[in-house]
Amino acid sequence: MNFRQVAMGLVLSALVLAGMTGWAERMTVSEAYRAIPHRQTSFSKSQAKMSEDEKNYLARLFDLADQAMVARVETMLWFQSGGRRGESYENYTRRVDGVLAALAQSSVPRRLRGVHNLIAEAVVDQKAYFAKWHEMQDMERRFDPRSGAVRSSHQKLIKAYNTLMQLYPRESPHNQQAFYDHLCALDFI
């Protein structure tokens, strides 16, 4: 068994256990981070060393990224549990369409347009992966990290992270960790 198989097994186990402990409502962002499992570091506007519009935009962007991540985590659980736990594909589609609409309506600072586009495109790729999975009507199928949509999303999120690090090399270590944690948690792999 390779690392990814072990990691995905742990994620599914955590999600199933979480489902058994009474998550009747949607997961919170913190619950989803714990279920992945992944460290959660919130972006701190007060520590940010960038313009006010960039601070505000990144805070909103990371909030939307977290919303998309929660939807993805819940829907992975739904697929991998055969629809017994988590949130349905249909609910995922509605939630992610809302995230994408909010991204489309965002006022994006010029320097961050590339990052914005990469993250939006990564979420679109994730939505395409779930659409394909849903069309196959094989709810208990295993996650395929080699899928083109998964790989494309992964590459875009890495590029978005690298761009943020290039744009803000003197940003506080806390916020640089937040860049990583938000985008890594949003990533499938």
Side-chain angles (χ1 to χ4, degrees):
M1 210 182 281
N2 68 31
F3 173 76
R4 285 191 181 143
Q5 290 170 323
V6 171
M8 287 310 297
L10 289 172
V11 169
L12 180 58
S13 297
L15 292 172
V16 169
L17 178 61
M20 289 179 190
T21 60
W23 273 340
E25 300 293 317
R26 288 184 178 162
M27 285 182 190
T28 66
V29 171
S30 293
E31 289 168 337
Y33 271 92
R34 283 192 305 270
I36 295 174
H38 197 283
R39 173 184 21 208
Q40 180 183 5
T41 306
S42 297
F43 176 73
S44 172
K45 288 172 47 174
S46 65
Q47 291 183 27
K49 301 174 183 176
M50 59 190 68
S51 71
E52 200 63 33
D53 64 330
E54 290 171 336
K55 290 178 193 181
N56 292 332
Y57 169 75
L58 284 176
R60 178 69 174 141
L61 177 68
F62 292 141
D63 176 60
L64 292 169
D66 282 348
Q67 290 177 41
M69 179 270 300
V70 170
R72 189 202 73 238
V73 168
E74 288 182 330
T75 303
M76 286 287 293
L77 174 60
W78 183 77
F79 275 116
Q80 294 180 328
S81 71
R84 293 182 298 277
R85 305 237 186 313
E87 277 209 348
S88 71
Y89 167 74
E90 292 77 14
N91 284 343
Y92 167 82
T93 300
R94 280 191 290 277
R95 289 172 72 181
V96 167
D97 285 347
V99 168
L100 291 170
L103 285 169
Q105 295 170 358
S106 294
S107 175
V108 183
R110 184 185 52 78
R111 287 188 350 142
L112 290 167
R113 287 184 186 143
V115 169
H116 173 91
N117 291 338
L118 287 165
I119 292 171
E121 291 168 11
V123 172
V124 168
D125 288 344
Q126 291 179 8
K127 184 179 172 190
Y129 177 77
F130 278 148
K132 184 176 179 182
W133 196 343
H134 184 68
E135 288 170 10
M136 294 180 74
Q137 298 181 354
D138 186 4
M139 297 267 299
E140 294 189 40
R141 189 183 113 198
R142 293 197 179 275
F143 172 72
D144 181 7
R146 295 169 304 198
S147 162
V150 170
R151 303 293 298 157
S152 177
S153 174
H154 174 69
Q155 291 166 354
K156 288 170 183 167
L157 292 169
I158 289 172
K159 188 172 182 180
Y161 169 75
N162 288 334
T163 302
L164 284 171
M165 294 301 288
Q166 289 170 357
L167 288 172
Y168 305 108
R170 292 186 178 90
E171 189 55 51
S172 71
H174 174 89
N175 278 345
Q176 287 184 341
Q177 185 66 50
F179 296 165
Y180 177 80
D181 288 345
H182 283 288
L183 298 180
C184 190
L186 180 58
D187 200 353
F188 270 119
I189 52 178

